[in-house]
Amino acid sequence: MENIFLFRILLPIHLILFFFFYKKDWARLKKIKSFLFLYAAFIFAMSITLFWTDSIGESVRYIYFLFEWMYVFFVCIYFLKDVKSYRTFAKYVVILYVLFMAIGVWEVITGTHLPRSGSSVYITTTSKHQPTGFQFNTNDYASMLAIIFPIVIAEIAKWRKKLAIVAISVVSCVSIYLIIVTFSRMAMLVILIEVAILLISWMRSWAFTGILLGGIGAGVISVYIKLNWVTVLFSDVTRAFTDKDGSTIERMEMYRVTWSLIKGSNFMGIGAGMLPTHLSLVMYGFENISAGYWAPHNYWLEALANGGLLAFLPLFAFFILYFIASFRYWMQTGWKVDSTVPLLIGIAFVFASVGLSGTFDKMFLGLGIGIGLCLLNIYYNATDRDEKSISNKTQDR
């Protein structure tokens, strides 16, 4: 039963233990509850489509994944309640990220993969040495590296200055390299945006100077001695953006078909989780039992097609509110490195939402948004406590 893994065993156990045996403190959610209400409204609207869906089983499966996402949001917000608990979590994330990179480098060098890797299934001219890590395909792996990258860099930046510069340089270079060899165009753009914004936040620090000079020096040396791997790397970037015309055309056709399905349902939705099977029917031109799943490659169109406007509007409001809060957090804290994390996670998610074949079953994306929400919650709660403290001191005077 490959779909029943440890997380799905622990989730209901955790849920039962939390509600029946754990002392609750709902005040922790006070500043962020609007996000949870909006996402709950999204799930509720998707559930309404059970009345007209073509397959109750597929729709319930889809809604279950949405519930998993919301529960991950809740766990991040509730249990990573302060800076201390978040820092402990972030340290473990750094260790895991190094493991993810190590597996990727091992795959690139040896051409061997873990048993569940898609590179062992989809044999192409490049797949043998393309990393997938613990994910199934290369795009998933690249998106996972991109969405967790700012969390790791922000945590490493707190180390001793010289050690931080070295570690950040190594992690950044290896991450960029691994993303390039996956040929994931969206992840390449994301990692460049992330590095640019993080460097802006480091403008007045030695980390910025070290990374900038190190990058320039490495570039000059590689051009001077004409390193073969650098040439190959630039070739990979070029091929990723120029050799995928067929894939791009196919995606545009899927978007056109999806939009026609949206209009055909009068914006009521065709049923939670039903877009892939409807796409398959239209794209193949007949019901194909052996290949009945056609990935939509667009999170936003998928949500609108599955649940209609009633589901799409609270989801859209959720992300608009998330980006507004993330940018305000970055601005109000003085454009610090730490405060870039929620914004960069949001940017990575948006790119992944149109870069991956599907997103609702990619739990690392839900975890990323959950971490962004927990950081916003920590900041707003701390600000609220500071304001109350100032108010109390003023009254005492």
Side-chain angles (χ1 to χ4, degrees):
M1 296 297 292
E2 63 181 16
N3 289 325
I4 302 179
F5 44 84
L6 184 60
F7 174 74
R8 296 213 173 109
I9 296 173
L10 293 179
L11 189 149
I13 295 174
H14 185 278
L15 186 61
I16 293 169
L17 291 175
F18 175 77
F19 277 105
F20 292 102
F21 301 100
Y22 191 85
K23 185 178 179 181
K24 266 72 75 178
D25 181 13
W26 300 116
R28 296 182 192 177
L29 307 176
K30 181 181 178 182
K31 293 296 180 178
I32 216 80
K33 61 184 179 182
S34 55
F35 290 94
L36 296 177
F37 283 146
L38 284 171
Y39 203 82
F42 167 58
I43 296 176
F44 176 75
M46 278 292 181
S47 300
I48 293 176
T49 66
L50 290 173
F51 288 105
W52 60 81
T53 182
D54 293 340
S55 172
I56 294 290
E58 285 295 322
S59 292
V60 169
R61 173 177 174 270
Y62 184 86
I63 293 169
Y64 168 76
F65 276 117
L66 300 184
F67 169 75
E68 278 191 352
W69 275 53
M70 185 169 179
Y71 198 72
V72 169
F73 294 167
F74 167 75
V75 168
C76 290
I77 296 167
Y78 190 89
F79 291 98
L80 302 180
K81 61 183 185 298
D82 51 31
V83 174
K84 182 180 178 180
S85 57
Y86 171 76
R87 285 292 307 279
T88 301
F89 172 80
K91 289 174 183 176
Y92 286 112
V93 171
V94 172
I95 295 171
L96 286 172
Y97 197 81
V98 172
L99 174 62
F100 297 153
M101 292 193 303
I103 292 173
V105 172
W106 170 72
E107 290 178 286
V108 172
I109 294 173
T110 65
T112 56
H113 308 276
L114 297 178
R116 296 291 182 183
S117 171
S119 291
S120 301
V121 180
Y122 303 117
I123 306 300
T124 67
T125 55
T126 59
S127 62
K128 183 177 181 181
H129 294 280
Q130 286 184 293
T132 57
F134 289 115
Q135 306 304 314
F136 180 73
N137 63 46
T138 53
N139 279 340
D140 292 350
Y141 178 70
S143 295
M144 185 274 297
L145 290 178
I147 202 166
I148 300 179
F149 180 78
I151 303 169
V152 173
I153 296 300
E155 178 59 26
I156 294 176
K158 296 183 176 67
W159 297 359
R160 291 197 308 270
K161 186 173 292 184
K162 292 182 179 179
L163 179 61
I165 293 174
V166 173
I168 288 171
S169 300
V170 171
V171 170
S172 299
C173 291
V174 174
S175 296
I176 292 172
Y177 171 75
L178 289 172
I179 287 174
I180 289 175
V181 296
T182 64
F183 284 19
S184 177
R185 293 170 291 183
M186 292 300 178
M188 290 181 199
L189 294 174
V190 169
I191 200 73
L192 288 177
I193 292 171
E194 289 177 333
V195 169
I197 292 178
L198 286 168
L199 286 178
I200 289 172
S201 300
W202 279 322
M203 284 293 284
R204 285 168 290 184
S205 74
W206 285 106
F208 172 79
T209 306
I211 294 172
L212 183 62
L213 293 177
I216 293 173
V220 171
I221 292 172
S222 64
V223 171
Y224 179 73
I225 63 178
K226 297 181 179 179
L227 289 177
N228 182 59
W229 70 269
V230 175
T231 305
V232 172
L233 207 60
F234 278 105
S235 175
D236 287 346
V237 174
T238 304
R239 290 168 60 193
F241 285 90
T242 59
D243 289 356
K244 289 189 175 182
D245 290 342
S247 173
T248 302
I249 293 171
E250 183 180 74
R251 291 192 184 197
M252 296 307 297
E253 178 63 16
M254 284 191 289
Y255 295 171
R256 186 192 66 79
V257 171
T258 300
W259 183 246
S260 68
L261 291 170
I262 292 169
K263 292 191 295 183
S265 71
N266 295 317
F267 294 90
M268 293 286 291
I270 58 179
M274 296 309 301
L275 177 60
T277 53
H278 281 256
L279 266 180
S280 175
L281 182 61
V282 176
M283 298 295 285
Y284 282 117
F286 57 90
E287 188 173 356
N288 192 328
I289 298 176
S290 63
Y293 191 94
W294 198 286
H297 289 84
N298 192 304
Y299 177 78
W300 314 101
L301 282 177
E302 182 180 7
L304 183 56
N306 285 331
L309 278 175
L310 189 63
F312 181 78
L313 290 177
L315 178 68
F316 187 69
F318 173 93
F319 280 101
I320 289 295
L321 184 61
Y322 177 88
F323 275 104
I324 291 173
S326 298
F327 190 80
R328 286 181 59 193
Y329 170 46
W330 187 33
M331 180 179 66
Q332 291 173 356
T333 54
W335 317 98
K336 294 181 179 178
V337 174
D338 289 354
S339 52
T340 63
V341 174
L343 179 63
L344 293 180
I345 286 173
I347 292 172
F349 177 83
V350 169
F351 277 83
S353 68
V354 294
L356 301 181
S357 57
T359 53
F360 75 99
D361 59 341
K362 306 297 189 296
M363 196 48 58
F364 63 86
L365 296 177
L367 178 63
I369 297 296
I371 294 170
L373 289 174
C374 97
L375 287 172
L376 294 175
N377 190 49
I378 291 170
Y379 169 70
Y380 288 134
N381 283 331
T383 303
D384 189 47
R385 285 194 297 269
D386 292 342
E387 289 176 353
K388 286 181 179 179
S389 177
I390 293 171
S391 177
N392 291 335
K393 288 179 180 180
T394 303
Q395 289 177 1
D396 292 340
R397 290 174 184 172

